[in-house]
Amino acid sequence: MTRKRSKTINLATMRKAFALKPLAVGVTAIMASGCADDRQDAKIYTSLEACKTDYPDAVQKCETAYETALEESARTSPRFNSEHDCEYEFGANQCQQVSNNGHSFFMPFMTGYMVSRLLSPGPMYSQPIYTSYSPYSSFRSRWVTADGHVFSGDIGKRNYKVSPSTFKAKPTVTRTVSRGGFGSSVRAKSSWGSSSRSGGWGG
Amino acid sequence: MFRIPVSPRSDWQQQAAEFGFHFHTMYGEPYWDESAYYQFSLAQIENHIEDPTAQLHQMCLEAVDKIINDEQWLRRFCIPQEHWDMIYHSWQERAPSLYSRLDLVYDGKNPVKLLENNADTPTSLYESGFWQWLWLEQQVDKQVLPRHSDQFNSLQEKLIQRFTEIGRHYSIDQMHFTCCKDTEEDRGTVQYLQDCATAAGFQTDFIFVEDIGLGDTGVFTDLRDAPITDCFKLYPWEFMLRESFGSALYEANTHWLEPPWKALLSNKALLPLLWEMFPNHPNLLPAYFADSTTRYNTGKWIKKPIFSREGANISMLENGEETRLSDGPYGEEGYIVQAFHPLPVFENNHTLIGSWLVDDMPAGISVREDNAAVTQDLSRYLPHIIA
């Protein structure tokens, strides 16, 4: 007899030990699938010195990679409205307050940076990397990128092979000229519904 | 079709925390209720629900084809003219859809009746695809339910499969997901779809609707200024088309889920159109535009705005006398009337069937109960079995 329900569901992937609410980032593992050939070596450094030790002849590039990651971090790190929400995800004293265009929010300190193609002739790749010290977070003792990619293994692991699709070029955007152009109907209509399930816009 | 009391799993709340099901209680009221379940026969599921669901969906697609080629209907559906091209092209290109939910009246005996089509932003997906599935597995394991119990619920399997197909269709392995701020239920639904997409090999990135940006090259951007090229949105087209970024939609060329043509199906104007195209169809209720009929002067009718959410702005018309059942901010675009067809009552609960489709394949049902006869305001979700 044919079953009318899903045959199996991978329960491990359905467990969410963290609250979704403060989380501004999706949680996905970087895919290790696909062709092994086209993946590139990448390494995580937690200090500028460590990079310089690896590349004594390319100290300048280490500095550029570090600076790039810091700038990226300021721009792209997960943002939280409250220190509590940030520390819930990243741990006590792991967050800083930042003000931008009159908005104040909290973001985690960059723990390290991931570097790829440092000595290659083409463009070098560098991005900020974070980890969490919070017992409530699925990022605890894991390396995670600003947009929530969680790398395999714990923070002891520093060397990775990453798919180029990780840095795949998207349509060019030099800058975002405006935000907030969607969502106004919600503000206009959400004062209704009082006691009822007024929150969602699904049906 | 029976409603059968059953012992809740003693640890279900703990499990809910573990699995991230945070909206099982909403606004102080229980939403997930496993103190009872509904039991259907396989024949009821397959003949009375599954087959009509597939057929109703095909009828809806025929309706899209009619609307899209007829200016009069586009106006009747209150689709802003500047977006006709985008919707037309999304239909011509058969831009893939992900899912929908038909709300049906079903009492176990008589033909189902279509109340509405939630074709654009249906929720209660996580509870249906995963949580009630888990409930069944565990209750069978504990021998609370018989071994042969089944459930009409292949949602998760089909959603993953559909994401795989959509990935191939657009040659993509990354997608953005978006919903509004401050709603745990919507965020949970979107996270579930992210999980399904991840299982299909996608990298998923989340952004709140309010945070979406417009780049200098005309594409939408996320908070890192990265372009949003492919995006699942749990946010209604009828809002997006009218908001300030609406005028950027066509140029931005984003692949949206649901695609723009779904704007035609989530619209209550669909109901009178279906009745006109398929008069006296056993699974349809008589429906008309309120401004083009006086039939509501006799009998019982429900009056609904062309656009509305969460059962807002609904009235009952009884021999022409109007009783307001719910307030709300909708109605400026006009109303439709639909013949009143009571929900079946089980132990004082008014029971509504949500029948899911993934693309055009029936994929399961959800059962919701409410204390009120018409407005599904604080409804409770109950699991079901086939036995």
Side-chain angles (χ1 to χ4, degrees), chain B residues 19-70:
Chain B
F19 282 103
F21 180 28
H22 299 296
F23 52 99
H24 56 73
T25 305
M26 285 192 284
Y27 311 99
E29 303 282 338
Y31 167 61
W32 168 260
D33 180 358
E34 61 174 76
S35 67
Y37 63 89
Y38 280 81
Q39 178 176 318
F40 300 86
S41 71
L42 186 61
Q44 285 177 326
I45 291 291
E46 291 191 331
N47 306 336
H48 292 178
I49 297 179
E50 186 172 16
D51 291 349
T53 295
Q55 197 193 5
L56 283 167
H57 183 74
Q58 289 307 319
M59 289 155 61
C60 289
L61 296 183
E62 277 184 57
V64 173
D65 213 46
K66 189 177 173 79
I67 307 158
I68 219 128
N69 291 300
D70 188 338

Side-chain angles (χ1 to χ4, degrees), chain A residues 4-5 7 172 177 183 185, chain B residues 50 150 157 214 217 224 243:
Chain A
K4 302 295 284 183
R5 69 184 190 277
K7 281 170 199 67
T172 331
V177 289
S185 311
Chain B
E50 186 172 16
D150 198 2
E157 213 165 73
L214 185 61
T217 51
R224 298 178 303 147
E243 291 173 349

Side-chain angles (χ1 to χ4, degrees), chain A residues 141 143 153-160:
Chain A
S141 298
W143 292 124
D154 71 4
I155 49 173
K157 186 170 175 195
R158 300 294 167 91
N159 292 294
Y160 288 91

Side-chain angles (χ1 to χ4, degrees), chain A residues 1-21 23-31 75-76 79 146-147 149 165-166 168 170-189 192-203, chain B residues 17-19 26-27 42 46 50 101 121-123 130 133-134 136-137 149-154 156-157 174 180 183 185-186 191-192 195 198 201 203-206 209-217 219-225 227 229 235 239-240 243-245 309-310 328-330 377 379 386:
Chain A
M1 200 180 83
T2 51
R3 275 165 57 135
K4 302 295 284 183
R5 69 184 190 277
S6 299
K7 281 170 199 67
T8 53
I9 289 180
N10 182 347
L11 292 187
T13 63
M14 298 304 292
R15 288 208 165 80
K16 304 269 180 294
F18 58 92
L20 291 173
K21 212 174 176 183
L23 199 67
V25 292
V27 183
T28 39
I30 287 269
M31 277 177 295
R75 205 167 60 83
T76 65
R79 295 174 179 197
D147 57 354
H149 300 302
S165 72
T166 317
K168 179 183 132 190
K170 299 251 198 158
T172 331
V173 178
T174 324
R175 63 200 175 88
T176 294
V177 289
S178 65
R179 288 198 193 279
F182 284 132
S184 58
S185 311
V186 173
R187 283 194 299 281
K189 302 205 191 271
W192 292 90
S194 57
S195 71
S196 71
R197 294 170 45 196
S198 56
W201 296 96
Chain B
E18 230 175 87
F19 282 103
M26 285 192 284
Y27 311 99
L42 186 61
E46 291 191 331
E50 186 172 16
R101 193 192 74 225
T121 59
T123 52
F130 176 65
W133 184 92
L134 187 68
L136 177 71
E137 294 283 310
S149 306
D150 198 2
Q151 194 170 68
F152 182 31
N153 176 19
S154 54
Q156 186 154 339
E157 213 165 73
Q174 182 278 344
C180 285
T183 149
E185 185 187 7
D186 286 6
Q191 182 60 49
Y192 179 58
D195 290 343
T198 303
Q203 176 200 313
T204 70
D205 297 291
F206 180 79
V209 165
E210 295 90 336
D211 288 336
I212 291 175
L214 185 61
D216 53 355
T217 51
V219 299
F220 293 119
T221 60
D222 66 13
L223 285 173
R224 298 178 303 147
D225 289 353
T229 53
Y235 192 67
F239 289 174
M240 287 176 69
E243 291 173 349
S244 66
F245 277 180
R309 301 277 137 191
E310 309 278 320
Y330 300 96
D377 213 16
S379 55
I386 306 171

Side-chain angles (χ1 to χ4, degrees), chain B residues 223-237:
Chain B
L223 285 173
R224 298 178 303 147
D225 289 353
I228 297 173
T229 53
D230 302 87
C231 189
F232 172 87
K233 51 152 205 73
L234 194 66
Y235 192 67
W237 272 116

